[in-house]
Amino acid sequence: MKYVAVAGILLASLNTEFADVAFAQQAPQGPLPPVTVEPPKSRADQQGQTAAAKPAEPLKKKKRVARRLASPSPAAAAPGLPGAGGVHNAATNPNYNTGIANFGPLGNRSLLDAPYSMTVISNDMLENLQPKTVNDALRYLPDVEIRNQQGYEVSRPQSRGFQGTVVQNTRLDGLSVIGTTAIPTENLSGIQVLNGMAGSLYGPATPAGVFNYVLKRPSDSPYASYTQGFDSNSVFTENIDVGGRTPDGKVGYRFNVVHGEGESWAPESASNRTLASGAIDFYLANRTVIETNFSHYETNATGLPGSITYFSKTNILLPAAVDPTKLGLGQPGAGTDLITNTGVVKLKHEFNNDWNFEIGGLYQDAVRNLFGITNSMTDNNGDFTVIKNFTAVPHFTIASNTASLNGKFDLFGFRNEVTFGTNGFFNGQYSYVNSIAQNLPGTSNLADPTLFSLPPVPNNGGQFKSAILQNQTIVTGDTFHFNDQWALQSVVSTSFLHSESWLATGAISSQQTANGVVSPTVSLIYKPFEKIATFATLASSVEQSDQAPAGTANVNQFLAPYYDQEYEVGVKYAVSPALLATFSLFHMTRPFASTDPVTNIFEVVGMQRNNGAELFLQGAIYQDLSIFGGLSYIDARLENTGLATTNGRLVVGVPLFKTDVAIDYHPVVWHGFALTGGVHAEGERAATNLNNSFAPSYATFDAGVRYSTTVDKHIITARFQVLNIGNVFYYSSIADGNIVGSPGANTAYLGTPRTFMLSLQMTL
């Protein structure tokens, strides 16, 4: 806890110290946007990479032609590409405040004016901090927790202390995807996280927020870069990123190829990952484009520490975190092999400067070969037994869709911004006929783990279709502007849900249908000054409920739809055009399901109530110093459980305080040199719903240096950083076992140790 307090004080002092400096040294990016906002205009905006929100002004057709066929804006340009202001280099002139983000059917909106808490990891930040997966990048968001399930890349991201789901909280370019498989960052231009409840925008979903991964789009000018990276013990990675247009300008392309392999941070571990990703855009007319994307991603990781399960009996508590590099916490050769193939097609058309239309579809096939390790604690002396292979779903498919019509018009002198849209998905799940879980003979101990001889994987009996999840939602919304200071935004979705599960015999085990369920959100926006916007939001959302995990008496059964509530107030302050500060308070509730220890039936046992506050800064404090991060407070408790032992208790794995901050110091006088630093700290977390065991608070620190120079028009950038400098032992993930597929026991994963990362990038 003391680390969290120190980090919070540092963050507050930085904000105070540099506020006046930021006013005096505003970046030359134009004035802040007015209350009204523009619909999507260009692919650069759609990537969420615009340096700052520009004032709304009419755009002539001639300018549109120039923007589509010539170079993009500086922030949208890939490193080394000429923009409106010359060459943009993420290493020497990083942009950590995009100013604009995508809000699903509402389209692109100014972060300052939108009545939501949104954080955006920009393309420049992804380049400078070198994350390989979205889990690596999300560690910089204080509202976000990663709930690991069957390995370090099989996880559910969540915000504000609420558990995420397999598909409802995770999106790729606004389309639903499988969230519990590995997702790389090399083909992403940014990550947008909408905190809080978003059922009115996207349909039924938990209050865990919406994680939207934004794909890189074709560059308007020829671009190519080659990157070599080295991290952990000996993982060597190569990445080629190529973009441009055909000579006639009618077809754009962007290709990313990645391969990396070697020994990861645990002894006798192995990592092997390959990405092939492409985007081809067809510009049919000045205002019409067809965007296509396809990708193949395979990642194999073995030998990393397995999960630690405990609380199978109420007296077996979470053990103290140990050195994750101990041989025997994982078993060499045991791990995960994840294969994900994705295809996306979108049609975008602008009727005029005020009205635009978008329609798109996605198909994804995610194969999850889960041959990892579970270390099951048998006592409080560090003894455990080892289970190899997981019984979780080994194969997901999803077909998702989206369509929206956005426009603005004046009625009786009042400005209206309206939205009509729909989005949905069809999610298929396939399970093994026979369980492949194996109990390895003998016991082990955390102080001196044992290496086991691994038997072959048992015959799984083939796969059968075990469940489907369907959702189609109709969205309507209007932002009604009373004047330049006051606006009322109302968005409502009407959803049609269906879920069904089967036994291996083909018999139906559960079936749920709900038609016409409504999720409304109403927000009042008040902008007393050009640089300050306040909002108050009331939201109610339907949710497609939880699914009973493996091992329960009603395995795979979907419970009846949930109904969630949210009350939120917030204020946003554009300290400068390059720096945005957001502060919000929220009260949120959601039904809570668990497995009855007597009947072994998974059912709703109460309500989760989260009260919290969050402060977030993103952008440039002044021209040489950028910041990204903040501080969150979340009081997450179980209520109405009917049991004195759990009622009013803290929710498992949710810290009261959490802070994540990244600092980037890049003075011009250093001629290409820059320093980076980071802090990640969490207060203590409840390890059981009885609150008789806690994970202690911890803090880790990162530091890095980079150097960038131009040689014969080629930008060459070297980056080096050390993560977890103090080699602190901690748990990166703690969760109720019912959430992550370990019924009857809670699950924890050890955090990564000190890790070195080095890369060399050159534009070609």
Side-chain angles (χ1 to χ4, degrees):
M1 180 65 76
K2 62 181 180 180
Y3 298 115
V4 179
V6 170
I9 293 172
L10 288 174
L11 176 62
S13 63
L14 279 173
N15 184 37
T16 303
E17 180 178 355
F18 293 114
D20 293 335
V21 181
F23 272 120
Q25 304 188 27
Q26 292 181 359
Q29 296 176 333
L32 291 172
V35 173
T36 56
V37 294
E38 287 293 320
K41 294 186 182 64
S42 67
R43 297 183 315 282
D45 288 341
Q46 292 158 1
Q47 293 183 69
Q49 294 179 326
T50 304
K54 298 291 192 297
E57 60 180 5
L59 296 179
K60 297 180 180 179
K61 186 173 182 179
K62 183 178 180 180
K63 291 185 177 180
R64 289 182 178 274
V65 174
R67 183 174 59 252
R68 288 189 184 275
L69 300 182
S71 56
S73 63
L81 285 180
V87 175
H88 173 70
N89 186 345
T92 57
N93 186 29
N95 168 32
Y96 291 167
N97 176 30
T98 63
I100 290 177
N102 186 271
F103 292 87
L106 299 183
N108 293 339
R109 300 264 173 143
S110 160
L111 284 175
L112 174 64
D113 295 331
Y116 306 97
S117 172
M118 169 78 85
T119 48
V120 180
I121 300 176
S122 68
N123 179 74
D124 289 3
M125 186 172 175
L126 291 176
E127 284 202 17
N128 287 333
L129 297 182
Q130 310 176 74
K132 300 297 189 300
T133 68
V134 295
N135 285 357
D136 298 332
L138 292 174
R139 64 195 292 266
Y140 291 95
L141 299 179
D143 275 332
V144 173
E145 290 276 351
I146 302 297
R147 292 288 178 262
N148 293 323
Q149 296 188 244
Q150 292 87 29
Y152 285 88
E153 288 191 310
V154 185
S155 56
R156 300 185 187 187
Q158 63 185 53
S159 74
R160 292 186 174 177
F162 288 98
Q163 69 185 63
T165 63
V166 174
V167 300
Q168 296 168 340
N169 299 95
T170 312
R171 292 177 176 262
L172 185 69
D173 272 359
L175 290 150
S176 296
V177 291
I178 304 301
T180 53
T181 188
I183 302 174
T185 60
E186 285 91 350
N187 62 337
L188 300 182
S189 68
I191 299 175
Q192 303 177 352
V193 180
L194 176 60
N195 299 306
M197 203 170 293
S200 63
L201 296 177
Y202 294 100
T206 74
V210 176
F211 295 78
N212 186 28
Y213 308 127
V214 184
L215 291 165
K216 289 179 178 177
R217 298 250 52 84
S219 52
D220 287 334
S221 301
Y223 169 70
S225 73
Y226 173 71
T227 303
Q228 292 183 342
F230 178 90
D231 62 85
S232 301
N233 288 348
S234 62
V235 178
F236 180 71
T237 303
E238 296 178 282
N239 176 24
I240 296 177
D241 184 0
V242 178
R245 287 198 185 207
T246 57
D248 60 6
K250 294 182 179 180
V251 178
Y253 57 88
R254 189 68 175 266
F255 298 104
N256 269 270
V257 178
V258 179
H259 180 72
E261 61 180 292
E263 185 180 30
S264 191
W265 48 266
E268 298 189 29
S269 63
S271 174
N272 193 321
R273 57 192 295 265
T274 299
L275 168 68
S277 174
I280 301 177
D281 290 358
F282 302 91
Y283 309 107
L284 305 183
N286 179 42
R287 296 177 181 266
T288 307
V289 59
I290 295 178
E291 298 178 351
T292 67
N293 294 86
F294 55 89
S295 67
H296 168 82
Y297 184 54
E298 180 171 2
T299 175
N300 181 285
T302 60
L304 297 178
S307 63
I308 295 176
T309 62
Y310 61 98
F311 204 51
S312 56
K313 298 179 181 178
T314 57
N315 64 330
I316 299 180
L317 308 180
L318 177 70
V322 297
D323 184 352
T325 63
K326 282 186 177 181
L327 190 62
L329 292 176
Q331 302 294 323
T336 58
D337 182 29
L338 309 174
I339 305 170
T340 307
N341 294 304
T342 308
V344 183
V345 178
K346 279 190 174 183
L347 169 65
K348 298 179 179 180
H349 176 70
E350 294 176 340
F351 298 99
N352 51 46
N353 290 347
D354 292 335
W355 289 88
N356 62 85
F357 174 74
E358 175 181 319
I359 186 171
L362 173 148
Y363 182 78
Q364 185 177 74
D365 183 274
V367 175
R368 312 190 314 163
N369 298 307
L370 306 175
F371 305 134
I373 294 297
T374 300
N375 299 316
S376 181
M377 305 304 303
T378 57
D379 56 37
N380 291 319
N381 299 318
D383 295 320
F384 61 90
T385 58
V386 179
I387 302 172
K388 183 178 181 293
N389 307 328
F390 290 92
T391 58
V393 175
H395 186 194
F396 287 107
T397 61
I398 186 169
S400 56
N401 63 82
T402 184
S404 61
L405 173 67
N406 287 279
K408 58 184 180 181
F409 62 90
D410 292 336
L411 182 64
F412 303 119
F414 298 100
R415 173 56 53 96
N416 291 264
E417 296 171 290
V418 296
T419 295
F420 305 96
T422 183
N423 58 74
F425 61 82
F426 183 97
N427 170 218
Q429 303 180 10
Y430 300 83
S431 300
Y432 294 135
V433 173
N434 303 323
S435 172
I436 61 173
Q438 298 169 286
N439 293 304
L440 302 186
T443 60
S444 189
N445 189 277
L446 293 175
D448 186 21
T450 302
L451 284 179
F452 292 91
S453 177
L454 299 182
V457 177
N459 184 355
N460 57 43
Q463 296 183 5
F464 70 98
K465 193 170 186 177
S466 56
I468 61 168
L469 200 63
Q470 294 175 259
N471 165 32
Q472 193 65 42
T473 296
I474 300 172
V475 180
T476 58
D478 181 21
T479 304
F480 181 86
H481 295 267
F482 298 97
N483 50 42
D484 289 340
Q485 292 183 309
W486 290 93
L488 181 68
Q489 183 181 98
S490 59
V491 186
V492 61
S493 68
T494 304
S495 301
F496 303 84
L497 316 176
H498 178 73
S499 61
E500 197 166 346
S501 61
W502 295 272
L503 302 176
T505 60
I508 295 177
S509 58
S510 72
Q511 192 173 21
Q512 293 283 347
T513 299
N515 293 323
V517 292
V518 176
S519 298
T521 298
V522 178
S523 300
L524 182 63
I525 306 166
Y526 174 56
K527 198 168 183 183
F529 306 101
E530 186 181 24
K531 297 182 178 181
I532 296 178
T534 64
F535 65 91
T537 295
L538 169 62
S540 176
S541 179
V542 69
E543 180 187 337
Q544 208 152 9
S545 78
D546 295 309
Q547 184 180 15
T552 56
N554 55 337
V555 58
N556 291 334
Q557 178 182 353
F558 290 96
L559 305 185
Y562 297 165
Y563 291 87
D564 311 324
Q565 296 286 335
E566 176 187 45
Y567 302 89
E568 181 175 359
V569 294
V571 57
K572 299 180 182 182
Y573 175 33
V575 182
S576 75
L579 178 64
L580 178 67
T582 301
F583 176 77
S584 61
L585 300 169
F586 57 85
H587 167 82
M588 303 170 68
T589 59
R590 174 187 188 267
F592 186 86
S594 185
T595 303
D596 187 284
V598 178
T599 64
N600 196 33
I601 294 177
F602 184 75
E603 59 188 355
V604 173
V605 296
M607 180 183 70
Q608 179 177 345
R609 186 273 298 153
N610 290 13
N611 292 332
E614 56 196 22
L615 170 67
F616 196 84
L617 300 174
Q618 53 191 57
I621 295 178
Y622 67 104
Q623 62 182 359
D624 293 338
L625 182 65
S626 299
I627 186 171
F628 186 92
L631 176 69
S632 69
Y633 166 81
I634 302 175
D635 180 40
R637 296 184 182 271
L638 298 178
E639 295 183 349
N640 303 328
T641 65
L643 299 174
T645 54
T646 59
N647 200 52
R649 306 291 183 175
L650 293 170
V651 173
V652 172
V654 182
L656 281 173
F657 292 93
K658 184 173 183 287
T659 186
D660 296 279
V661 180
I663 297 290
D664 193 308
Y665 184 51
H666 45 273
V668 177
V669 295
W670 285 13
H671 304 291
F673 277 102
L675 298 176
T676 60
V679 58
H680 311 276
E682 292 190 69
E684 66 176 10
R685 291 165 286 172
T688 70
N689 56 14
L690 302 181
N691 289 186
N692 60 345
S693 179
F694 288 84
S697 59
Y698 74 90
T700 65
F701 299 90
D702 309 331
V705 61
R706 68 174 179 268
Y707 175 69
S708 185
T709 187
T710 301
V711 178
D712 192 24
K713 298 183 180 180
H714 301 288
I715 297 178
I716 301 175
T717 304
R719 297 177 173 92
F720 174 76
Q721 61 182 346
V722 184
L723 309 181
N724 191 3
I725 294 174
N727 200 30
V728 175
F729 304 154
Y730 67 100
Y731 286 107
S732 61
S733 173
I734 298 174
D736 188 306
N738 293 305
I739 299 174
V740 296
S742 300
N746 289 350
T747 302
Y749 275 86
L750 293 165
T752 55
R754 182 190 299 118
T755 303
F756 299 91
M757 303 181 69
L758 175 66
S759 70
L760 181 65
Q761 179 185 32
M762 180 176 68
T763 59
L764 305 177

